[in-house]
Amino acid sequence: MAQASSSKQTERLDTGSFSRVAPFSLALARHDLKLRRKKTTTLQINVGLLCNQACRHCHLSAGPNRVENMQPDTLDAVVDYASKIRFGTIDITGGAPELNPHITDLIERLSPLASTLMFRSNLSALNDGKHDQLMSVLTDHKVVIVASFPALNASQTNSQRGTGIFEVSIDALQKLSARGYGREGSGLELNLVSNPTGAFLPPPQDQTEKRFRKVLRDKWGVSFNNLLNFANVPLGRFRQWLIKSNNLDMYLEKLAAGFNPCAVSGVMCRTLVSVSWDGYLFDCDFNLAAGIYMSGHKIHVSEMTGPPREGAPIATADHCYTCTAGSGFT
Ligand code: SF4
């Protein structure tokens, strides 16, 4: 059955109206492409915008002063939905999901409901001295950890994320390694995410992965499974920084110039649904940050009686160029 029918007021936030680039929908039309939902295989849960860091590149403007955190009634509605639909993958994100007080309980409840349970961490929240039990729960349930680790350079990381973050992140990686994360045959998967510090696109992923693998192993004895090298998304705090530094148009033009029509079929919004801290549904975490509801309709997870409808249109804006620049962002 498709989505529930109540509370369907169309709401659209145009985040790209003052940029110089052509609307993303026009880039699609030029290649005779339409962005439509396929079968939804991933449920992404954004448990809150509270974070211990306030990174310049954050598309959600998460930080220590944010008070938005998923409450028990919304968590119950999300778990109920996940048990009805049985998504292949459930992806827990934030903010820093470690800072939601119900996080260990949520992991234990979701673990039997998906073949892959993923947890996104900035590493420093996991290694703040208060989350050893969470680390054990992640290990026990073989949760895939997707960790932000922007650079191998301490001063670059600390300038992007805050003083001392590099050192505490390395320490967290060593603790995860000691538990078996990233080690062959352990069944404990650790993937790293790196991103550029400024208004430029990342270098080729395979070269970066090789370099990270060698340096992390040789210097710190850390292994990992995959490295994902993503461009920063021009939303939230990163968009504000682009505007202030007069880089917004140049950055969007760079993304738009890299438009790769072949990347459109693989963008994550086609197979993912994202739930916000207050339980509303979005086609992806970037549309969540921009306030663009799933297919343009405001629907709460508790209203859903089935998966998102296959073939439903996906609302787009200029930040979508991030997903289709070069080999894409999935
Ligand atoms: S930003 Fe979201 S809606 Fe746009 S192409 Fe990327 S995944 Fe799809």
Side-chain angles (χ1 to χ4, degrees), residues 24 35 233 267-270 283-287 314-317 319-324 329:
F24 186 74
L35 202 48
V233 182
V267 291
M268 63 184 153
C269 52
R270 303 196 65 209
D283 288 307
C284 71
D285 197 49
F286 308 138
N287 278 5
I314 294 166
T316 59
H319 58 263
C320 294
Y321 281 116
T322 322
C323 299
T324 53
F329 185 158

Side-chain angles (χ1 to χ4, degrees), residues 137-149:
V137 170
L138 292 168
T139 311
D140 292 348
H141 291 275
K142 294 205 176 331
V143 177
V144 175
I145 296 182
V146 181
S148 308
F149 189 75

Side-chain angles (χ1 to χ4, degrees), residues 47-51 61-71 100 277:
V47 295
L49 302 180
L50 178 62
C51 189
S61 305
N65 299 326
R66 300 301 297 256
V67 291
E68 301 90 338
N69 237 346
M70 194 175 270
Q71 297 299 309
N100 185 302
W277 67 274

Side-chain angles (χ1 to χ4, degrees), residues 31-316:
H31 292 86
D32 208 15
L33 294 167
K34 286 195 169 81
L35 202 48
R36 304 263 173 196
R37 295 194 66 88
K38 294 202 295 186
K39 181 178 186 230
T40 303
T41 54
T42 300
L43 173 68
Q44 186 172 60
I45 308 167
N46 190 315
V47 295
L49 302 180
L50 178 62
C51 189
N52 60 322
Q53 299 179 184
C55 304
R56 189 172 67 194
H57 70 275
C58 184
H59 63 271
L60 286 153
S61 305
N65 299 326
R66 300 301 297 256
V67 291
E68 301 90 338
N69 237 346
M70 194 175 270
Q71 297 299 309
D73 53 342
T74 309
L75 288 165
D76 287 346
V78 172
V79 173
D80 187 43
Y81 187 50
S83 63
K84 270 198 299 225
I85 305 302
R86 295 288 173 148
F87 297 91
T89 300
I90 298 181
D91 176 359
I92 301 172
T93 187
E98 292 90 341
L99 303 188
N100 185 302
H102 312 287
I103 195 65
T104 47
D105 179 49
L106 181 67
I107 289 167
E108 282 168 344
R109 293 169 73 191
L110 290 175
S111 177
L113 302 180
S115 20
T116 304
L117 182 58
M118 282 166 50
F119 183 86
R120 300 198 183 232
S121 172
N122 66 17
L123 293 172
S124 65
L126 192 58
N127 196 23
D128 64 359
K130 298 177 205 153
H131 290 100
D132 291 351
Q133 196 214 341
L134 173 60
M135 237 193 241
S136 298
V137 170
L138 292 168
T139 311
D140 292 348
H141 291 275
K142 294 205 176 331
V143 177
V144 175
I145 296 182
V146 181
S148 308
F149 189 75
L152 291 165
N153 177 301
S155 53
Q156 192 179 325
T157 302
N158 290 341
S159 79
Q160 189 186 89
R161 314 202 134 203
T163 309
I165 293 293
F166 182 80
E167 293 73 13
V168 86
S169 300
I170 290 286
D171 189 56
L173 288 175
Q174 288 175 324
K175 285 180 179 158
L176 290 170
S177 252
R179 288 174 179 268
Y181 266 102
R183 306 225 171 256
E184 217 179 310
S186 68
L188 293 166
E189 189 172 331
L190 171 65
N191 298 320
L192 303 184
V193 177
S194 88
N195 60 288
T197 43
F200 48 90
L201 301 185
Q205 186 156 293
D206 50 345
Q207 284 172 25
T208 312
E209 182 173 299
K210 249 186 227 158
R211 194 164 50 86
F212 273 57
R213 204 176 284 293
K214 180 169 175 16
V215 175
L216 282 171
R217 186 192 54 220
D218 293 355
K219 247 180 145 172
W220 292 291
V222 167
S223 310
F224 62 89
N225 295 87
N226 305 293
L227 180 127
L228 311 162
N229 203 3
F230 290 148
N232 293 315
V233 182
L235 288 168
R237 195 176 291 123
F238 187 59
R239 192 175 187 99
Q240 291 312 312
W241 177 80
L242 288 169
I243 292 168
K244 264 193 225 141
S245 61
N246 240 342
N247 276 311
L248 180 65
D249 282 326
M250 181 274 289
Y251 188 65
L252 288 172
E253 280 162 6
K254 228 181 251 183
L255 293 175
F259 180 78
N260 171 9
C262 300
V264 173
S265 63
V267 291
M268 63 184 153
C269 52
R270 303 196 65 209
T271 55
L272 172 147
V273 60
S274 190
V275 190
S276 60
W277 67 274
D278 52 356
Y280 289 95
L281 301 183
F282 297 82
D283 288 307
C284 71
D285 197 49
F286 308 138
N287 278 5
L288 186 161
I292 304 172
Y293 293 107
M294 184 174 72
S295 299
H297 301 294
K298 185 174 182 181
I299 299 164
H300 195 266
V301 65
S302 58
E303 297 176 83
M304 294 293 284
T305 54
R309 182 172 64 80
E310 285 184 52
I314 294 166
T316 59

